[in-house]
Amino acid sequence: MPTLIVFCHLRWDFVFQRPQHLMTRLAEHYRILFVEEPVYDEGKAHLKKTAVAPNITVCQPHTGIQAPGFHDDQIPTLQTLLADLVPEGERPVVWFYTPMALPLLQGFDPALVIYDCMDELAAFKNAPKQLLQRENALLNIADLCFTGGPSLYQSKRERHANAHCFSSSVDAKHFQKALDRDYSHPEQAHVGRPRLGFYGVIDERFDTDLVSQVAQARPDWQIVLVGPVVKIDPANLPRAHNIHYMGQRTYEQLPQFLAGWDVCLLPFALNESTRFISPTKVLEYMAAELPSVSTPITDVKVPYGDVVAIADTPEKFIAACERMLAMNDEQQAALKERMRAIVANTSWDKTAASMHHLIQTTAPSNKAQRFLAQAEQRDFDDVVNAENVNPLPIAALAARMTPKDGMAKAAG
């Protein structure tokens, strides 16, 4: 069974989302080593390995270095910790969720390099300043580029000749548990009706002002928010008697919360961090056959605008929620029929199978080997480390490979 090494900026035991959905399915074909960002540990640097599912091992580096993520200061220690990750002579498939881990490719002889771009990470709060440079390099050496939605695909397709759009999918069977409305989670039993709910990470993509205005305008509506608060001060969260924070919950518990809701919310802020998002939850809400209201996120509005109510102002958002709550039986039945048709045409199983087929049928270009060889001649760290050099060398090095390799030139 071939080895698949995954470098990810998200922890395996955080919110269960795209990486976990795909890897648990690809584990049928690969021995997966899921490498997380390092954890600060004052003791001796070590690599903690945890088997989390059949053929999936999470590799969590522990270092005494306080720099966050795959920071340049971490790279030498991480290279040492990962040196024996695969036996000598083995050529693993290397899969990146974050370009910041690109320097770690130096320790491997990859059979294939994959970039699964699930988010425009450079647009997120506190994004590393080198991220765009490293993405340029990664796009020039990757054999395959997957994107998490049509907006990202449009953004990357001109920068990679073998880019493929794989939008967020759904585990329908899991979320259809919510069709039993008596399955509702007991911890929301005290919350009155109607209940309008959201689950997901509450960060800079979440429109706190919108939620506050909805709660204030309709004090009889109960707003249930499920998920961890990340990168924003909890003190800045909207507070009201009808806003209920349930904290982070497991993937298994999400259908229970859905079962007790009347309307599902996608209250995303309209900013750079949401420009390219393709929310997984929109299809999960549909699998539960619950009406949804969203702000005008492109990857929700364009494919699902006839099923999900789209509203671009707080007043319109509130009015859309009112319409959803007021639907009669005939309107509800028609909406559910459209939802079922959409959900029936997609699944994480199909997505993973299609990705596996592309991996199996894509001929190795060896761009990574040529890139690494040239970079080593010039000192890999000086080429890749954007903090120590002018931004141009890494892009120029990648661009010089372009005509020979038939790749689309990276956008600067």
Side-chain angles (χ1 to χ4, degrees), residues 198-213:
F198 164 90
Y199 63 72
V201 180
I202 299 173
D203 57 14
E204 73 269 27
R205 296 169 295 177
F206 185 84
D207 194 334
T208 54
D209 289 339
L210 172 60
V211 171
S212 180
Q213 290 182 61

Side-chain angles (χ1 to χ4, degrees), residues 184-199:
S184 179
H185 199 287
E187 289 187 33
Q188 64 183 359
H190 71 284
V191 178
R193 307 296 282 258
R195 293 188 198 129
L196 292 78
F198 164 90
Y199 63 72

Side-chain angles (χ1 to χ4, degrees), residues 104-337:
L104 297 174
L105 186 64
Q106 189 181 27
F108 303 96
D109 181 17
L112 215 66
V113 175
I114 299 167
Y115 177 30
D116 187 12
C117 182
M118 65 178 283
D119 285 306
E120 192 66 86
L121 295 178
F124 282 26
K125 187 177 181 180
N126 303 325
K129 60 185 179 181
Q130 315 99 307
L131 199 149
L132 283 176
Q133 295 173 243
R134 292 191 183 171
E135 184 182 64
N136 284 341
L138 179 55
L139 283 167
N140 274 276
I141 66 176
D143 299 285
L144 282 167
C145 175
F146 302 143
T147 68
S151 294
L152 276 172
Y153 176 69
Q154 293 301 323
S155 172
K156 308 302 177 189
R157 62 183 298 189
E158 298 301 324
R159 300 170 62 190
H160 198 284
N162 198 13
H164 302 267
C165 180
F166 287 104
S167 299
S168 295
S169 194
V170 64
D171 180 355
K173 184 177 180 181
H174 180 71
F175 288 95
Q176 284 167 350
K177 295 174 185 176
L179 295 177
D180 176 5
R181 304 308 190 203
D182 293 331
Y183 188 56
S184 179
H185 199 287
E187 289 187 33
Q188 64 183 359
H190 71 284
V191 178
R193 307 296 282 258
R195 293 188 198 129
L196 292 78
F198 164 90
Y199 63 72
V201 180
I202 299 173
D203 57 14
E204 73 269 27
R205 296 169 295 177
F206 185 84
D207 194 334
T208 54
D209 289 339
L210 172 60
V211 171
S212 180
Q213 290 182 61
V214 173
Q216 185 175 5
R218 295 293 183 270
D220 55 320
W221 292 358
Q222 305 301 313
I223 300 174
V224 179
L225 304 176
V226 177
V229 177
V230 178
K231 292 191 291 183
I232 59 176
D233 187 346
N236 294 328
L237 294 175
R239 302 288 177 180
H241 74 277
N242 58 335
I243 300 178
H244 310 270
Y245 292 93
M246 297 294 179
Q248 183 170 354
R249 298 299 174 133
T250 65
Y251 181 67
E252 287 69 27
Q253 291 176 313
L254 297 182
Q256 289 183 278
F257 283 97
L258 281 173
W261 295 350
D262 300 294
V263 173
C264 295
L265 305 178
L266 293 106
F268 289 107
L270 300 180
N271 55 38
E272 281 301 306
S273 67
T274 60
R275 182 181 173 191
F276 298 103
I277 64 170
S278 179
T280 303
K281 61 183 63 61
V282 66
L283 286 169
E284 295 168 351
Y285 290 170
M286 287 189 203
E289 297 183 7
L290 288 168
S292 301
V293 180
S294 177
T295 50
I297 298 300
T298 301
D299 285 4
V300 177
K301 179 177 64 175
V302 173
Y304 307 125
D306 63 330
V307 178
V308 178
I310 306 297
D312 59 3
T313 67
E315 294 76 18
K316 291 179 182 178
F317 198 93
I318 292 167
C321 290
E322 289 176 334
R323 289 196 304 273
M324 291 301 188
L325 288 169
M327 283 191 299
N328 59 35
D329 291 345
E330 183 178 349
Q331 291 171 323
Q332 290 184 38
L335 181 61
K336 289 178 180 179
E337 186 176 351

